[in-house]
Amino acid sequence: MASTASPLPAGEDVPVSALSRAQLIDVLTDTVGDLENLDLSLSATGVEDARRLRSSLIAQIRDHVLPRLADADIPAIVVVGGSTGAGKSTLVNSVLGREVSDAGVLRPTTRTPVLVVNPEDSAALAEHPIAGVCRTVTSAAVPAGLALVDASDLDSVQESNRVLASRLLEAADLWLFITTAARYGDHTPWASLEEAAGRETPIGVVLNRVPTTVLSEVRRDLVERLDALGLAESPFFVVPDAGPHEGLLPEASIAELRDWLGLLAGRHRAAGLVRRTGRGLWTGLRADLITLADGVDAQDDAATRLETASQKLLEAPAADLRDDVERGTCGQGAPTTRWVTLASTGGPLAPLAQGGKLRSGWFGRTGRARAAALATLAQDARESVAARLEAALVSVHDDASRTWEAAGAGSRSRELLPDVPDAAAVVGAWAAAQQEHLATVPKGLTPQGAGDLVVSAAAGIEGSRAAAERLGLGPAISEARQALAQALTGVLSAVVPAGAARGLAPDPALAAALRLRAGELTPFTRPGATA
């Protein structure tokens, strides 16, 4: 990437290794792309935190950092956020002196966030990512250089609202935290406040709808809580409980808050607010990238564990199949009964069982009957082997699906784990190959009949094995058994392909890339540095 002159203020103590603004935009844009494609689906220690961090980073970089780098003169974003029923919309309307956001008793009232901008700033914010998720309203009551966002509820019953509220907070240059005497200790809003304080986002606090009778107690407790977060110096406003009413709050209730926002008016003051926002931004962003890189490593470890567990599922079933072939247990039961019937005295296979001469008979009728009997016997043998194989395939496939589901990869199992193969087709292909591999055909048998005899013998029908060996087909039986074991275990292995689970791991270069980009941000975390 070609280096460009860094637009840093003269006299700032910035290391020469710092990226230029253009380079930084490229780095962060690539980082957002990597994070959007990062799959954190596997179960691993801290994965929930990693998923939240990924979403937070995407929102912070895309909605806050990149727009600010691209245009340092865009208005500062002031997000009015808090819990359900805190009175955010009424407060925004009252500060502006007009109804710009729906307010009422129905929850959630703010289904679509409202972005309120000064007419002078409407063009500058038209392409801002936040404008794409908000309804934009222009109002001269908003100081130039600032933009107010009436956000959706942090603890909304609708997940989409909660996600959107978190995204808006990531874009904030200042968060105006609205709470009430009854809700200020709620977990979700308070956890968001802790995160914002950790990023050193400027925060103002409004204690809204507070009855006079509990004001002293609630205020003291809330201030102590804020002090514990390092927010003791944050602007703090109290809006008395106006009781049941419609429309705007009394002027006296919001005058102090309106005056404070007025103090931020003017682009040079808003720019100062942005600089204060950036004090902890780069340090926090760098730390978050490193933490997320650790999360990528955890996904890699989880994929390795899943790969080991997946392949282990094959060990016992494959050993059982090999043992079945070696001991000939697939030929027991119905196939053996069929042999006894066909090889009994007077049966078409009796000469084979007794070691007698294999005659063709009058007009070849005896030979044809023998061939038909061998075909029937081989069919029984194939069906028996196929049934055993199908049971193993289904069992392994189901076990693998459950294992992947437990590991958090259930949705990917349908993509990376193939469907159960057709066991009959696999065994049929093996059987067909045995006829092709026969070097010689014993006298009295057709090539097809000899192949059927070898198939029956290899499957474990003891009487047919003895008959085939008397005809000199012993080597062919051994080869057929080896081929059968390979065919069965081979198709079983294909149910859980080697390396499939490893394919769930993120690109191993991603963790290194995130750490590298964190390193590139280091110069901006030092005193006096700026982007």
Side-chain angles (χ1 to χ4, degrees):
M1 180 184 300
S3 176
T4 60
S6 176
L8 300 173
E12 295 282 7
D13 180 20
V14 181
V16 295
S17 59
L19 298 173
S20 71
R21 188 184 300 267
Q23 290 172 322
L24 187 56
I25 289 174
D26 287 343
V27 165
L28 293 177
T29 299
D30 290 344
T31 300
V32 170
D34 287 340
L35 295 179
E36 288 177 334
N37 293 324
L38 174 58
D39 184 0
L40 295 172
S41 60
L42 293 179
S43 300
T45 301
V47 68
E48 292 297 334
D49 291 337
R51 290 167 185 164
R52 285 192 293 269
L53 182 57
R54 175 189 58 189
S55 298
S56 174
L57 279 172
I58 291 172
Q60 186 179 8
I61 296 173
R62 178 191 58 205
D63 299 337
H64 179 73
V65 180
L66 286 175
R68 189 64 61 194
L69 288 172
D71 183 2
D73 293 329
I74 62 173
I77 306 295
V78 178
V79 174
V80 181
S83 56
T84 302
K88 300 182 295 295
S89 298
T90 298
L91 199 64
V92 169
N93 292 338
S94 299
V95 167
L96 298 178
R98 57 174 287 208
E99 298 278 351
V100 297
S101 187
D102 293 337
V105 296
L106 295 179
R107 302 288 176 242
T109 301
T110 304
R111 293 174 175 83
T112 301
V114 178
L115 170 65
V116 190
V117 301
N118 187 284
E120 296 180 16
D121 296 323
S122 58
L125 283 173
E127 300 301 323
H128 195 287
I130 293 304
V133 295
C134 295
R135 177 171 63 87
T136 301
V137 176
T138 58
S139 173
V142 178
L146 294 182
L148 289 180
V149 178
D150 181 13
S152 45
D153 300 329
L154 286 166
D155 55 357
S156 172
V157 295
Q158 298 179 12
E159 182 181 4
S160 59
N161 281 348
R162 298 195 302 272
V163 171
L164 183 52
S166 296
R167 175 179 174 180
L168 293 173
L169 291 183
E170 297 292 351
D173 294 301
L174 180 146
W175 180 19
L176 198 56
F177 176 57
I178 314 297
T179 189
T180 65
R183 306 297 299 274
Y184 68 88
D186 288 359
H187 172 72
T188 299
W190 198 261
S192 300
L193 192 63
E194 288 180 315
E195 292 177 7
R199 293 196 303 271
E200 300 184 23
T201 299
I203 295 171
V205 179
V206 177
L207 182 56
N208 193 25
R209 296 176 176 170
V210 54
T212 305
T213 54
V214 297
L215 173 57
S216 177
E217 178 184 353
V218 170
R219 179 169 185 162
R220 181 173 59 254
D221 184 50
L222 180 54
V223 168
E224 289 176 356
R225 288 170 175 256
L226 293 172
D227 187 28
L229 295 182
L231 299 176
E233 302 301 321
S234 295
F236 187 94
F237 306 93
V238 175
V239 178
D241 186 7
H245 76 286
E246 294 183 0
L248 307 181
L249 294 171
E251 179 66 23
S253 298
I254 49 84
E256 186 181 7
L257 176 58
R258 179 187 288 163
D259 290 343
W260 176 69
L261 289 173
L263 290 176
L264 299 176
R267 300 198 180 279
H268 65 288
R269 295 190 183 95
L273 174 63
V274 169
R275 284 194 296 273
R276 289 196 296 277
T277 308
R279 287 176 183 172
L281 185 148
W282 298 112
T283 298
L285 190 58
R286 178 178 179 274
D288 287 346
L289 288 173
I290 293 173
T291 299
L292 200 54
D294 294 339
V296 173
D297 289 339
Q299 288 290 297
D300 188 81
D301 292 342
T304 298
R305 290 193 298 272
L306 181 58
E307 177 70 21
T308 299
S310 297
Q311 293 305 306
K312 191 171 183 61
L313 295 175
L314 298 172
E315 293 178 1
D320 289 345
L321 285 175
R322 286 191 295 268
D323 190 53
D324 284 346
V325 173
E326 182 178 343
R327 294 189 297 113
T329 55
C330 290
Q332 296 176 1
T336 297
T337 300
R338 177 80 72 177
W339 165 264
V340 171
T341 300
L342 295 174
S344 59
T345 302
L349 299 184
L352 272 175
Q354 299 164 5
K357 187 174 182 180
L358 303 179
R359 302 181 183 278
S360 297
W362 188 254
F363 294 109
R365 291 176 181 173
T366 302
R368 288 194 297 274
R370 184 165 49 246
L374 287 172
T376 299
L377 186 66
Q379 176 66 24
D380 285 354
R382 289 196 301 271
E383 290 177 354
S384 178
V385 174
R388 177 66 183 86
L389 174 60
E390 183 175 11
L393 291 173
V394 171
S395 176
V396 169
H397 186 273
D398 289 348
D399 288 346
S401 296
R402 284 191 293 269
T403 300
W404 281 45
E405 186 74 35
S411 61
R412 298 294 304 279
S413 66
R414 292 181 287 275
E415 170 190 346
L416 296 177
L417 297 180
D419 294 333
V420 176
D422 185 343
V426 172
V427 176
W430 162 78
Q434 304 319 304
Q435 180 181 340
E436 298 176 2
H437 295 160
L438 280 177
T440 59
V441 176
K443 186 176 181 180
L445 294 178
T446 64
Q448 180 65 51
D452 288 338
L453 181 60
V454 169
V455 166
S456 302
I461 301 177
E462 185 60 28
S464 65
R465 183 194 62 78
E469 287 181 344
R470 284 194 295 271
L471 294 175
L473 294 175
I477 296 172
S478 296
E479 292 179 4
R481 278 185 170 177
Q482 292 178 3
L484 179 58
Q486 291 175 356
L488 299 187
T489 56
V491 74
L492 184 68
S493 297
V495 174
V496 189
R502 283 292 309 151
L504 296 168
D507 186 338
L510 180 55
L514 292 175
R515 292 188 175 98
L516 174 62
R517 286 163 183 170
E520 290 175 319
L521 299 181
T522 300
F524 301 103
T525 67
R526 296 167 184 165
T530 180

